[in-house]
């Protein structure tokens, strides 16, 4: 089975490096990523653009738009990219939106990433309207961080998935992706998925750990049922996307975890078809 990793990272961020070294125990480099992908038949990853101007400063209010994948240059050929958006730069630098639109012309740009909660703006704030205009103009999905933040400096009132309902209603021609199933508010995400035809969700970032600890989560019924309940309630197996949030967890273990959450008959959709249909990475037969 071919797999697309619809949510991963490849940016020069101190917290990612620290997590790879101290928590997930993996090689955060193009070589490490290539090895994990090849071992698990992952043919493409979609990186969420992100940057910091000083080590450890993310969420960095000074990062320029668009935020990119800058761990290594050039990026591996199997990585596609969602352009990261800093709302402060949108507010203060008039060239910001032009720089974002110019970057869209690059062949491997497949969407936008908004870091709700990391930046203290609701997703329906007018600061993001130029991004939504570009998303509709170029038919690009918008991935939105939802749920818990991987930084104590985040403000989670801005990252609650319920706010994406308002976006979906007033921007019917744009596809939105609720990242991380909105965890811990997974039932809220389930309702938004079932209600709105233009809202999807990725299943990334639900475990942050090394292989050993991840397996304890996988075998814990209470933990598994937290997600299964929401997935079953939403009944939207055609709108769920596999993602790892690499480097927060090892790929092989995370695939095993996601297979525990969904019925086997939907594996090909969740691990490949849904992401390919949404982000349009490969033509049929490739």
């Amino acid at each position: 089975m071919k797999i697309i990793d619809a949510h991963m990272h490849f940016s020069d961020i101190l917290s990612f490096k620290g997590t790879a070294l101290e928590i997930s125990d993996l090689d955060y480099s193009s070589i490490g990523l290539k090895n994990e992908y090849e071992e698990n038949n992952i043919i493409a990853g979609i990186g969420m653009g992100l940057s910091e101007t000083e080590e450890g400063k993310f969420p960095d209010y000074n990062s320029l738009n668009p935020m990119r994948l800058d761990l290594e240059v050039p990026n591996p050929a199997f990585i596609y990219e969602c352009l990261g958006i800093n709302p402060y730069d949108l507010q203060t630098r008039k060239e910001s939106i032009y720089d974002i639109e110019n970057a869209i012309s690059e062949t491997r740009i497949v969407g936008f990433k908004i870091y709700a909660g990391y930046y203290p703006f609701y997703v329906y704030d007018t600061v993001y309207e130029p991004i939504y205009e570009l998303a509709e103009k170029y038919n690009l999905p918008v991935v939105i961080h939802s749920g818990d933040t991987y930084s104590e400096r985040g403000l989670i009132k801005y990252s609650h998935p319920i706010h994406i309902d308002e976006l979906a209603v007033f921007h019917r021609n744009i596809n939105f992706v609720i990242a991380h199933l909105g965890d811990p508010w997974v039932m809220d995400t389930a309702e938004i998925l079932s209600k709105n035809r233009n809202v999807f969700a990725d299943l990334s970032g639900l475990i942050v750990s090394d292989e050993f600890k991840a397996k304890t989560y996988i075998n814990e019924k209470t933990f598994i049922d937290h997600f299964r309940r929401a997935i079953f309630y939403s009944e939207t197996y055609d709108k769920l996307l596999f993602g790892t949030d690499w480097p927060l967890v090892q790929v092989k273990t995370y695939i095993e975890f996601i297979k525990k959450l969904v019925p086997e008959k939907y594996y090909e959709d969740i691990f490949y078809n849904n992401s390919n249909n949404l982000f349009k990475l490969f033509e049929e037969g490739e």
Side-chain angles (χ1 to χ4, degrees):
M1 179 177 66
K2 294 184 295 186
I3 297 175
I4 294 172
D5 182 354
H7 188 131
M8 50 82 67
H9 295 278
F10 200 74
S11 290
D12 189 20
I13 302 295
L14 183 63
S15 63
F16 291 156
K17 295 177 181 178
T19 297
L21 181 65
E22 301 168 8
I23 299 177
S24 54
D25 188 29
L26 57 80
D27 178 4
Y28 185 46
S29 70
S30 59
I31 294 174
L33 181 63
K34 182 174 184 290
N35 289 339
E36 287 201 65
Y37 273 15
E38 287 183 348
E39 289 171 4
N40 295 283
N41 205 31
I42 296 181
I43 63 171
I46 301 176
M48 302 293 130
L50 187 61
S51 64
E52 58 186 14
T53 60
E54 298 177 25
E55 278 198 346
K57 197 175 180 181
F58 177 76
D60 190 343
Y61 295 179
N62 296 318
S63 291
L64 298 182
N65 284 320
M67 296 190 289
R68 305 299 301 266
L69 309 180
D70 60 356
L71 182 64
E72 298 178 18
V73 179
N75 293 325
F78 53 84
I79 293 183
Y80 295 78
E81 184 174 359
C82 287
L83 299 174
I85 304 301
N86 174 4
Y88 286 105
D89 191 48
L90 283 176
Q91 281 185 326
T92 60
R93 192 171 62 91
K94 65 180 181 180
E95 299 87 1
S96 180
I97 195 65
Y98 302 110
D99 292 342
I100 294 167
E101 186 167 17
N102 287 337
I104 293 172
S105 63
E106 298 179 24
T107 56
R108 290 186 174 266
I109 302 303
V110 296
F112 299 105
K113 174 64 183 292
I114 289 176
Y115 289 89
Y118 291 100
Y119 293 104
F121 295 82
Y122 290 110
V123 293
Y124 48 74
D125 192 293
T126 56
V127 70
Y128 288 122
E129 281 303 315
I131 301 303
Y132 302 143
E133 290 175 9
L134 291 179
E136 183 169 359
K137 177 180 178 180
Y138 292 98
N139 193 26
L140 293 174
V142 180
V143 181
I144 299 175
H145 172 84
S146 297
D148 188 24
T149 59
Y150 200 54
S151 167
E152 64 181 13
R153 295 193 297 274
L155 293 171
I156 58 176
K157 72 175 184 178
Y158 295 102
S159 59
H160 197 296
I162 199 71
H163 304 306
I164 295 170
D165 180 55
E166 185 162 335
L167 279 186
V169 168
F170 292 105
H171 295 280
R172 303 305 289 174
N173 295 324
I174 300 172
N175 289 319
F176 297 98
V177 180
I178 300 177
H180 320 306
L181 200 64
D183 188 40
W185 299 294
V186 295
M187 287 302 297
D188 297 272
T189 296
E191 170 58 22
I192 296 164
L193 282 173
S194 64
K195 172 182 176 289
N196 297 290
R197 58 175 169 75
N198 58 330
V199 178
F200 298 71
D202 74 46
L203 302 175
S204 70
L206 305 180
I207 295 177
V208 181
S209 73
D210 60 18
E211 181 180 7
F212 176 79
K213 188 175 180 182
K215 288 185 180 295
T216 66
Y217 284 121
I218 292 171
N219 293 312
E220 174 53 57
K221 184 178 183 300
T222 302
F223 182 75
I224 293 290
D225 286 349
H226 169 66
F227 302 110
R228 276 181 174 168
R229 178 170 174 256
I231 290 170
F232 179 79
Y233 175 88
S234 73
E235 291 188 302
T236 54
Y237 294 101
D238 60 334
K239 297 198 295 177
L240 297 175
L241 319 175
F242 170 75
T244 61
D245 219 10
W246 194 87
L248 274 58
V249 69
Q250 295 177 22
V251 169
K252 182 178 181 180
T253 305
Y254 205 72
I255 291 173
E256 180 184 345
F257 166 58
I258 297 301
K259 285 182 174 180
K260 284 249 189 176
L261 299 185
V262 297
E264 186 173 355
K265 64 181 177 179
Y266 298 114
Y267 281 1
E268 288 193 3
D269 286 339
I270 289 167
F271 283 96
Y272 181 82
N273 292 332
N274 296 343
S275 295
N276 195 44
N277 292 338
L278 179 63
F279 291 102
K280 301 176 177 60
L281 305 187
F282 304 106
E283 298 289 340
E284 187 175 349
E286 284 190 79

